[in-house]
Amino acid sequence: MRAAAVILPLAVSMLVGCAHNPPPSATPAPKPPPPCLSQLDDLPFATCLLTELDQVWTRELRDTGRTYTAPRLTVGDGARGDRTRDGGPDRAFYSPRSGIHLPTRYLMAVHTAYGPRAQMNLTFTMSHEIGHHIQSLLHPGTDVRVNDREAQADCYSGVWAHQEAADGKLNSEQFRAAATAELNRLSTYPDEVATHGDPAQRLASLDKGLHSGDPAACDVGPLTWR
Ligand SMILES: [Zn+2]
């Protein structure tokens, strides 16, 4: 559906172009794509959101003369061998080799907790995971404390939300409320607080990015933006 919405105005404008005398008002304005949050199924939602995450980070890296490459995305089970220390099939995780994973058990837990409003909570999750992708692009293989790595991913999540809100595509207050709820829920997993920090610490990291919109504000040790 989304591809059709993009292709159709292009086809119309090409036809108008062939007529050689189009009045300027004859070219229809391209329809904006539907907001990702209106996608209720996980795969189209996550695919849509990844595009918006990619757009912001492409721009941010380009502004500093670097090139962004998009991560792969797995929605539902797959690639269990990529399980990492800080995640697993019951939680979302990122692997430098295979990208962002939203395992089935994680998605079920999120939908059980939040019902039809789960997309905003998943928005926080994906923006955190892509923070790990940015780390992987900028500092591949750099060894830092897991808590520092997680704090920076939370901060990058806030940076993205700041930019997305500035583009008119996100309500940052709703995003922050959904992130807070998800941080509280995740803190009930026994290993989560030890590796990621408690909800108050994580929210402080997220706010650093959300308020500044500046990835450099997220620098931790050797994981620097510039
Ligand atoms: Zn993480």
Side-chain angles (χ1 to χ4, degrees):
M1 288 300 288
R2 198 153 177 273
V6 172
I7 290 163
L8 184 59
L10 185 65
V12 169
S13 69
M14 283 166 68
L15 283 173
V16 170
C18 288
H20 290 298
N21 57 348
S25 59
T27 306
K31 267 191 192 170
C36 295
L37 289 169
S38 69
Q39 307 274 355
L40 297 183
D41 291 333
D42 291 328
L43 181 58
F45 163 73
T47 305
C48 180
L49 186 67
L50 181 60
T51 301
E52 297 197 352
L53 290 158
D54 288 342
Q55 284 170 352
V56 166
W57 286 114
T58 296
R59 188 176 67 203
E60 288 297 309
L61 265 80
R62 191 175 55 217
D63 286 351
T64 57
R66 289 170 290 189
T67 303
Y68 174 87
T69 52
R72 291 168 61 193
L73 170 69
T74 302
V75 178
D77 287 334
R80 284 177 181 275
D82 292 315
R83 179 177 179 152
T84 60
R85 254 189 320 175
D86 70 325
D90 62 351
R91 270 161 281 175
F93 65 99
Y94 172 80
S95 151
R97 191 173 63 79
S98 58
I100 296 173
H101 292 254
L102 301 177
T104 302
R105 274 176 66 197
Y106 173 71
L107 290 169
M108 285 173 63
V110 168
H111 285 293
T112 300
Y114 307 113
R117 295 173 293 107
Q119 275 79 5
M120 192 60 101
N121 309 89
L122 291 172
T123 298
F124 162 69
T125 301
M126 283 187 64
S127 63
H128 170 95
E129 298 306 336
I130 212 159
H132 290 308
H133 181 59
I134 299 300
Q135 292 169 336
S136 173
L137 289 177
L138 298 185
H139 301 283
T142 301
D143 195 22
V144 296
R145 288 173 59 230
V146 62
N147 297 66
D148 288 344
R149 189 174 290 281
E150 296 302 334
Q152 186 177 58
D154 285 333
C155 185
Y156 281 162
S157 162
V159 169
W160 172 81
H162 177 107
Q163 304 292 351
E164 189 78 346
D167 290 344
K169 295 179 181 173
L170 186 77
N171 179 316
S172 57
E173 287 175 18
Q174 287 176 5
F175 172 84
R176 189 177 184 278
T180 304
E182 182 61 357
L183 292 175
N184 285 324
R185 192 188 73 82
L186 287 169
S187 71
T188 62
Y189 288 86
D191 58 334
E192 190 78 13
V193 171
T195 52
H196 289 66
D198 65 34
Q201 291 168 324
R202 297 194 63 183
L203 200 58
S205 297
L206 183 128
D207 279 344
K208 206 158 49 173
L210 188 60
H211 293 153
S212 69
D214 179 6
C218 303
D219 285 0
V220 177
L223 299 181
T224 54
W225 175 247
R226 291 178 196 280

